[in-house]
Amino acid sequence: MIEDIYKAAPGRYESGMEYRRSGHSGILLPELSLGFWHNFGETTPLERSKDIMRFAFDHGITSFDLANNYGPGYGTAEETFGYIYDKSFRPYRDEIFVASKAGYDMWPGPYGNWGSRKYLMASIDQSLRRTKLEYFDVFYSHRYDPETPLEETLQALVDIVRMGKALYVGISRWPVEASSFAFDYLGNRDVPCLIFQDRLNLIDRRVMSDGTLDTVKSNGCGFIAFSPLAQGILTDRYLHGIPSDSRAMQQRFLKTSQISEDLVTHVSALNDIAQRRGQSLAQMSLSWVLAQEGVTSVIVGCSSVGQLADSLKAVEAKAFTEEDLDAIDAIASQIRL
């Protein structure tokens, strides 16, 4: 098959996307970043992935979020990215911001998991080969390792930057105390932490209540939110039953038992607020995360161009009124998963 030649939309920076500064740095990230967790692995048609990536870039999304074990299967999301990058995005390398991570299970044996120097160094080399990149814009420690000395994990990140394999480093889902140590350690070695990644949505506000978001901001670091739609709960997907092709029916990261009558009642009430605002529930949920102080960007996943187009409307949303926020808070506080 002859690959069609991709030419990015001339007006891609005039599409309404705004760019927010990531902490105390020179980096500006789009309000929405494209996540590769579920929908870009070996089970997804390559043509669909290509269409989504091109649509994203054509509409101002310059930030692509990967990890070594994204798929499904492990490594295949990076391979998908690498193929599409090589065929479509290589001329635009200096316009895109590519992240990858290592920290979760990736290969058998004692050196294929967690936060050792050996694992991180091997992981970034493998990830660079799969993505066909010479460097990542940011490379993360994907999770806190309670056994490996923090100094070992963090020094590996420092050395990754000094070796030219990444321009910046980040950490994901580290507890507050360990994060504070990381910010100090990295900053003292002139490799400041660019961005912190964690879950944040209308239902799960832990990073707001446990001090994570405040700690990140006070240390001059950006924050990027994942799971803004709570695995699809904060959409209209489950308002009228559980679709046969839904994530809940697959029983992987969301269980059918979680889609209770009580949950549907509360989500329906949130949907009513969204409709009054002229938004879908998904759009309002994204807008809410973007409205939280300290949030730099929100990672959106999608399985089609249509889903991404719907998500992009969140950046056009009108501001929340106090009445909106009070009503959302009252409903969200009653939801238990």
Side-chain angles (χ1 to χ4, degrees), residues 110-148:
Y111 314 122
N113 206 343
W114 294 102
S116 70
R117 179 181 181 89
K118 181 173 177 61
Y119 174 55
L120 293 179
M121 289 297 185
S123 288
I124 193 168
D125 286 344
Q126 292 179 17
S127 291
L128 288 170
R129 286 195 294 271
R130 284 190 290 264
T131 56
K132 302 185 188 301
L133 296 172
E134 295 180 354
Y135 64 91
F136 287 112
D137 294 284
V138 63
F139 189 73
Y140 290 85
S141 164
H142 204 169
R143 63 169 168 171
Y144 169 71
D145 182 346
E147 300 296 332
T148 299

Side-chain angles (χ1 to χ4, degrees), residues 2-8 50 54 87-89 91-92:
I2 298 176
E3 191 79 21
D4 60 320
I5 298 174
Y6 170 60
K7 186 175 182 181
K50 180 179 71 174
R54 289 181 175 185
K87 302 296 183 181
S88 296
F89 286 89
Y92 303 100

Side-chain angles (χ1 to χ4, degrees), residues 92-112:
Y92 303 100
R93 177 63 184 98
D94 295 334
E95 293 186 44
I96 60 176
F97 193 89
V98 186
S100 195
K101 318 177 199 73
Y104 284 92
D105 175 55
M106 185 60 188
W107 62 82
Y111 314 122

Side-chain angles (χ1 to χ4, degrees), residues 171-193:
I171 55 177
S172 176
R173 307 194 71 184
W174 281 41
V176 173
E177 185 175 347
S179 298
S180 296
F181 180 90
F183 294 140
D184 288 342
Y185 188 97
L186 294 169
N188 289 337
R189 286 152 183 83
D190 299 321
V191 182
C193 186

